Every structure is written in structure tokens, then in C-alpha cells.
Amino acid sequence: MGSVCIEIIEGNPHLRSLLGWHLQQLEYRVHQAASIYQAREVFLSHQPTLVVLDADLPDGDGIEFCRWLHRQQQPLILMLSARNTEGDIVAGLKAGADDYLSKPFGMQEFLARVEALIRRKRTPTAPAYLDYGTLQIDLVQRRVRFQGEFIDLTPQEFSLLYVLAQAGGVPLSRSELLRRAWPDAIDNPRTIDTHVLSLRKKVELDPRQPNLIQTIRNVGYRFNMEILNTNISQSQTTKLARERFNNQRSTLSSSV
């Protein structure tokens, strides 16, 4: 079982440690998080097979975070909650949980449910398509559609955009982006700046004042997920289409 990674996201430190200890006795690899912020970092770093998720977290809604998890690499999700009405259970399952365990519960039942979920896990299949509202990423054809238009990206720009978007708004350092988005080891973090600049020219309404790929001072870059769900005006859409057409025409003219 040492190859199976489990993430425990639980606000109660005593329960979190207890669950982690018992899972480790069964030789699972265990990583713990006490909040949604920590949980995102742990998930993105370790890509666990199973996530044990507390529905009531100190810094956010566990149900909403369950939806975010389900949109990622589709891990198995075991939701824990003190809420035990039929409506609460249905809401958790509809959000993407594979199983729902009401608190308080017995440790043997918890371990049995974990083992049952792990048995159901087959060879993981990577998602073919990611939908972030106005941004769609086709992982098979490696195409990106943003605000209704297909964007012509280089292979490296595609990888960089995918990694930024998958982080779900969490800021990523330049070194982390190099590690996740580049196929070969590169020691120059400024490579990221060059590619971000190029990417902004293709996906920002105004690359000089970017609001989609944001610079986080002394950290790196983050993808502004909030803006993907806001509707831009028709005039903005027309402006964006016109600018792209002019850029393409200039490129064609210069190549003649």
C-alpha cells in the first residue's frame, strides 16, 4: 500500500493526527492539511489517490472545495462531516464525493471505507478536457479556447497555461513553474518571465495591464480564476478580436 498516497484535510488537529497514524500503520503514504489553503498546496504537490475531506473547514466551504478537487485529476474523495441529514449527504455526493461518513464514527469503519474506495481505484486516466468557465483546455489536441475563441499557443505556452490554470489561483514561484511546466531541467527562472509575457499577448485584453495572469511580488505568478466567470462586454470582445486580427495580419505582412 506504500504506493497509495492519501491526503487528510481536517480542521481538528487531534482527529487529523489520529486518522493519519492509523493510515500509516496500514503503510499508506499520508499528507495532512488543516485548511483549504494548505490543502491546495498539498494536493498539487503530491497528487493523492484519495482525499479525506472535512466538510467544515476553518477557512472555507468543504463542499465547494470538493467540487474543485473533482475538477482536477478526479481523485477519490471520502467526505467527513458532523452534518448527517439526507440533504447534507446528497449535497456532498453531488459535489463529487465518492463516499460520505458522518461524525462521530468508529476507526474500523473509517479504515474499511478507505480500503473499499482504494479497491475501486483502477489505472488512473488523465482528463481529456478541462473547463474553467470562459477557458477550456483540450488536453488531447492541446488546444485552448478562451472567451469563445481558439488561441494559437506554442507547446511551451500551452504547458505553462495549463499548470497555472490547474493551480486554481494559488501563486506559483518561477522555480515551481519550471519544475511543473518544462520537460527538461532549466536553471534560469527568467525563462518564465519571457513565456508569461508572450502568453499575456495572446490571452489578455491589455497585456500592459494584465488581470488574468497576475504577477505576485516576491513570489511568482497566479492565474486569476475569478475573472473567468465574469462576463466581458461585447465591446471588449470586439476589441479583443480586432486586436488579434491585426496582430495576425501584421505577422503575415512581415513574412511576405
Side-chain angles (χ1 to χ4, degrees), residues 13-69:
H14 302 293
L15 178 58
R16 186 172 67 247
S17 297
L18 183 63
L19 296 178
W21 185 86
H22 279 279
L23 290 173
Q24 287 172 339
Q25 300 313 297
L26 295 176
E27 298 184 352
Y28 291 111
R29 291 187 294 115
V30 177
H31 299 278
Q32 301 183 18
S35 65
I36 287 179
Y37 179 80
Q38 291 178 356
R40 287 181 188 270
E41 291 289 324
V42 171
F43 178 84
L44 293 170
S45 298
H46 300 283
Q47 296 293 307
T49 300
L50 169 67
V51 177
V52 178
L53 173 62
D54 181 9
D56 305 293
L57 291 165
D59 63 338
D61 184 2
I63 294 290
E64 186 59 37
F65 186 66
C66 183
R67 294 190 183 98
W68 180 85
L69 282 171

Side-chain angles (χ1 to χ4, degrees), residues 239-251:
K239 175 186 175 184
L240 181 61
R242 184 171 59 251
E243 288 177 348
R244 285 179 182 150
F245 173 78
N246 291 335
N247 289 338
Q248 293 172 355
R249 185 172 60 182
S250 299
T251 301

